[in-house]
Amino acid sequence: MVQRFLPNHPSVLLKEERPHEQLVSSLESIIRACPPQDTYSRHALHGLYSGPTSIAYLFLRLAQIYPNLVVEGHDASSWCRAYLLPSSRDHGRQPVEVTVHKCGVINEELAACAILAAMTGDEEYCSILVHHTATVVQPGGSDEWLYGRAGFLYLLRMVRQWTPSSSTKETMQACIKKVGDRIIQDGPPWRWHGKEYLGAVHGSVGIITQLVLCNPDYAAHPKVTAALNDLLRSQDSAGGNFPSSVESGRDSLVQFCHGAPGFVLSLPLIQKYFDAATQVTIDDCVARARNCIWERGLLTKEPNLCHGATANALALTSPQREHLMAYTTTKMVVKGIEEGWYIEGSDPCGLFCGEAGRAWGWAVIDAGKDLGIIGYSDV
């Protein structure tokens, strides 16, 4: 069996005492390794998940958190525009199609449009999202976060959060209602590639989280309540993890996309919208899940948000959170890859699989409060 995690039974808890320096160092690494280009191949553009648009969104959020942040001589807003605008212009490439099978945060057209709407407040970009809503609510397709409607909900919520226009906020809310109603009409069970996945990226807990964060009234819907209760019952009572899908029944993955970390980074955010008994169950569930993450969360994959130690650290509380994050410093990542206890990733700079995600992790540590997972629960 492949060893997925490193032993984590420390006698001394590690802590990086300079999180802001780590954040800046991480951002400098991104700029040097993956500088903004005048044009990008269509194959490099993956919305908020990876590629230049994902880096642009990181810098947009950091500009909101750190108004005075300067990296390599430019403020965060300038870096956002540098990474975003070439990928959103027409340089002779065909636009990425928006379909019911690809309308989540990975869709380049939708992600770039949402960032531009949030950054500029321009009604033109908001109108494009409204236009695509008609396609997104057509029958069939996907409901999960990465490729499906739950991801589109996040983009609508992001624009609703950052736009200054009250009329645009109302329009985004109307679109959220249409998309949310379609998701509930589709399930549960919600399936992706024929399986009933449970986790944050492709599964039910991610779908429910986006529904409730967009419109807390969905928490009272009988189908949502029943789906959440089924999810809570699926936790392994002894080990604390969750299977990746109903069909697999296995708990081999302990990462944001599949397993306990995605649940811990989701359930506390929506907990207050459910009844008292469910809230108690969620508390118990999260406690067991955190024990699982502490034991099995120092993953052998290069640290990142999707399937690495970065998101797993953010699922823990202090001081365990800081301990796991200490394994994601530039020095530790280089050391781990050189010595073979980290498996080098294929995406050096992107938001969910690369350095940009580690930068977000350091921003959370530096802020000293829960900012959520960028692109999923930060707004």
Side-chain angles (χ1 to χ4, degrees), residues 83-229:
Y83 279 101
L84 177 65
L85 294 181
S87 65
S88 63
R89 294 187 187 123
D90 182 8
H91 286 279
R93 65 178 178 85
Q94 292 296 316
V96 176
E97 187 179 8
V98 177
T99 71
V100 292
H101 298 282
K102 193 172 183 180
C103 56
V105 297
I106 202 170
N107 187 287
E108 177 65 24
E109 307 302 324
L110 294 175
C113 180
I115 295 173
L116 284 163
M119 183 172 66
T120 67
D122 193 324
E123 296 287 344
E124 176 186 353
Y125 299 115
C126 299
S127 297
I128 294 172
L129 289 176
V130 173
H131 168 75
H132 285 302
T133 300
T135 298
V136 173
V137 299
Q138 293 299 308
S142 171
D143 291 300
E144 44 82 84
W145 168 82
L146 186 58
Y147 289 94
R149 296 182 182 93
F152 190 65
L153 282 181
Y154 173 84
L155 297 176
L156 294 172
R157 187 170 81 250
M158 180 248 285
V159 175
R160 183 186 69 183
Q161 173 75 13
W162 300 117
T163 183
S165 166
S166 59
S167 62
T168 299
K169 291 180 186 293
E170 293 173 1
T171 301
M172 292 300 103
Q173 190 60 35
C175 292
I176 284 170
K177 180 70 165 56
K178 292 177 183 177
V179 177
D181 288 351
R182 163 51 68 181
I183 291 173
I184 292 177
Q185 184 177 341
D186 284 351
W190 295 287
R191 299 186 184 277
W192 186 69
H193 286 232
K195 290 185 179 180
E196 187 181 346
Y197 284 94
L198 305 183
V201 170
H202 298 302
S204 299
V205 75
I207 293 169
I208 292 172
T209 298
Q210 299 308 318
L211 282 170
V212 175
L213 289 181
C214 283
N215 185 352
D217 289 345
Y218 282 126
H221 196 289
K223 293 174 75 172
V224 173
T225 303
L228 178 61
N229 287 332

